[in-house]
Amino acid sequence: MLGVAAVLLFWKPGFVVTRVFDQAGLQTGVERVLTTDYGHQVSAVSCPADRKVQEGDTFTCSATVDGEPNTQIPIRVTSSSGNYEVGRV
């Protein structure tokens, strides 16, 4: 019975695999957008660990932005391949 379950779970590629964001890469990307695109001074970006890549999902990261600690930064996942938008703060 266990063998049948294993075959079914791997029948479709990616059926069991859940993609998550690389936390360090996400934090670097958020910092880059806030500084380069929006012109803010940014430090201490913190995004949630093991966040699933799901198109349409939203969550927040926090950072010190222009001297204001714990500023909440809205993030929206725009594709199942891991693209995202960083909201204005």
Side-chain angles (χ1 to χ4, degrees):
M1 182 74 168
L2 185 58
V4 173
V7 170
L8 291 176
L9 290 175
F10 294 103
W11 174 61
K12 286 180 121 178
F15 181 72
V16 180
V17 178
T18 301
R19 294 186 58 196
V20 297
F21 283 103
D22 169 61
Q23 185 182 25
L26 180 61
Q27 291 168 170
T28 299
V30 169
E31 182 174 357
R32 185 178 314 121
V33 169
L34 291 174
T35 57
T36 304
D37 296 349
Y38 299 158
H40 293 290
Q41 295 293 321
V42 179
S43 63
V45 177
S46 177
C47 295
D50 300 323
R51 190 67 194 208
K52 291 181 184 176
V53 175
Q54 291 182 305
E55 185 174 356
D57 190 25
T58 60
F59 57 94
T60 59
C61 295
S62 64
T64 299
V65 178
D66 297 330
E68 290 293 321
N70 203 30
T71 301
Q72 299 300 297
I73 301 124
I75 308 296
R76 185 172 71 88
V77 182
T78 59
S79 76
S80 61
S81 62
N83 296 325
Y84 58 90
E85 293 177 345
V86 178
R88 292 192 180 267
V89 290

